[in-house]
Amino acid sequence: MDPPSLASLSLTHVHYNPHDRFSYLCAWLALVPQGLCVVYATLMWSSREVEICLMFAGQMACEALNWALKRWIKEERPRQMYGKGYGMPSSHAQFVSFFSLYLTLFLLFRHAPHPTQTHTPTTYAQRLGLSVLALASAAAVAFSRIYLTYHTNKQVLVGCAAGAAFAVVWFGFTTLLRRSGWVHWGLDHPLARVFRLRDLVIEEDLLDAGWARWEDKRRKRSVNGKKKT
């Protein structure tokens, strides 16, 4: 009997021209959404910050919107591309547009870190530079979808517009949740207490998390070591 034909798991299966170095780079850029999902999971588990959880919830809602739009519009991918599924709008472009714009809105309008004795937080100019870098990276990922012929120009532009629009809507929604007290109410819920959810990143850099306690512990160890000698 002939062995059964095997299927390909297309989650990270990217077509590119092996003789084109820029095409190879674009193939790696196509993995950015998967990488960002790993970043989301890592930060949510390690920091337990509710802001990151809210951002990830918006990211998943944006993906659901893309799934619905593709099946409503039903526009095929470019003919020279052998990829499966509909192409309008580009899910990659929509994903990175939401991520980069929501991050920009957070850094410029919500994040206000305070200095501590052991840490100087990022300035507004530094946060602006980080925002520009995030937006430029999103543009590179979006362009890679055109270069690899997975999408047309219009499909990528619509994906960017949908992701950006949803980022603004979701940022406004989370702002409303905060101002109305729903976020604080949720953090006081017993389930949130079990998972140790917190809301510190608004006023505190992630880099500062636990640093003051570590510096205090390090100074005490140094003083104890000198006493012994």
Side-chain angles (χ1 to χ4, degrees):
M1 296 178 62
D2 295 331
S5 57
L6 300 179
S8 173
L9 182 62
S10 59
L11 182 63
T12 59
H13 193 58
V14 184
H15 291 91
Y16 71 96
N17 182 358
H19 305 292
D20 183 351
R21 292 184 177 180
F22 192 74
S23 179
Y24 179 69
L25 173 62
C26 288
W28 279 102
L29 288 174
L31 303 180
V32 167
Q34 288 90 333
L36 288 177
C37 286
V38 174
V39 171
Y40 271 124
T42 302
L43 287 177
M44 285 190 296
W45 177 258
S46 60
S47 71
R48 309 300 173 97
E49 282 289 335
V50 69
E51 181 66 26
I52 299 174
C53 296
L54 289 172
M55 185 176 176
F56 181 67
Q59 190 80 72
M60 293 299 98
C62 188
E63 282 294 285
L65 174 63
N66 180 267
W67 184 89
L69 287 175
K70 281 189 174 182
R71 281 148 187 80
W72 178 51
I73 301 173
K74 296 182 179 180
E75 182 174 300
E76 300 295 335
R77 294 178 182 271
R79 292 185 177 180
Q80 64 269 33
M81 186 64 236
Y82 299 102
K84 297 180 181 179
Y86 298 117
M88 171 67 85
S90 166
S91 58
H92 277 70
Q94 188 168 329
F95 188 104
V96 295
S97 293
F98 174 90
F99 176 86
S100 60
L101 185 55
Y102 189 97
L103 178 63
T104 296
L105 293 172
F106 168 76
L107 290 175
L108 300 184
F109 298 106
R110 185 174 291 171
H111 187 46
H114 299 320
T116 65
Q117 294 180 352
T118 58
H119 179 69
T120 301
T122 53
T123 64
Y124 187 85
Q126 290 173 327
R127 298 199 300 274
L128 179 61
L130 181 60
S131 301
V132 172
L133 179 62
L135 293 171
S137 300
V141 174
F143 176 77
S144 72
R145 306 307 289 169
I146 300 174
Y147 193 85
L148 294 174
T149 68
Y150 272 91
H151 295 281
T152 64
N153 294 0
K154 183 176 67 173
Q155 291 170 353
V156 168
L157 289 175
V158 172
C160 290
F166 196 79
V168 173
V169 171
W170 192 258
F171 187 80
F173 174 66
T174 56
T175 299
L176 180 62
L177 288 179
R178 287 184 172 279
R179 291 181 178 177
S180 60
W182 281 102
V183 170
H184 294 299
W185 175 85
L187 289 172
D188 289 335
H189 192 276
L191 188 61
R193 303 284 295 171
V194 168
F195 287 101
R196 298 189 176 186
L197 294 179
R198 63 202 71 174
D199 191 25
L200 297 175
V201 74
I202 302 297
E203 300 178 352
E204 179 181 290
D205 277 344
L206 283 175
L207 293 176
D208 193 38
W211 181 253
R213 294 191 301 273
W214 165 249
E215 283 292 279
D216 184 59
K217 183 177 180 180
R218 189 178 64 84
R219 283 194 297 268
K220 289 180 178 179
R221 187 173 64 248
S222 178
V223 171
N224 292 335
K226 290 180 179 179
K227 289 182 179 179
K228 291 179 180 180
T229 57

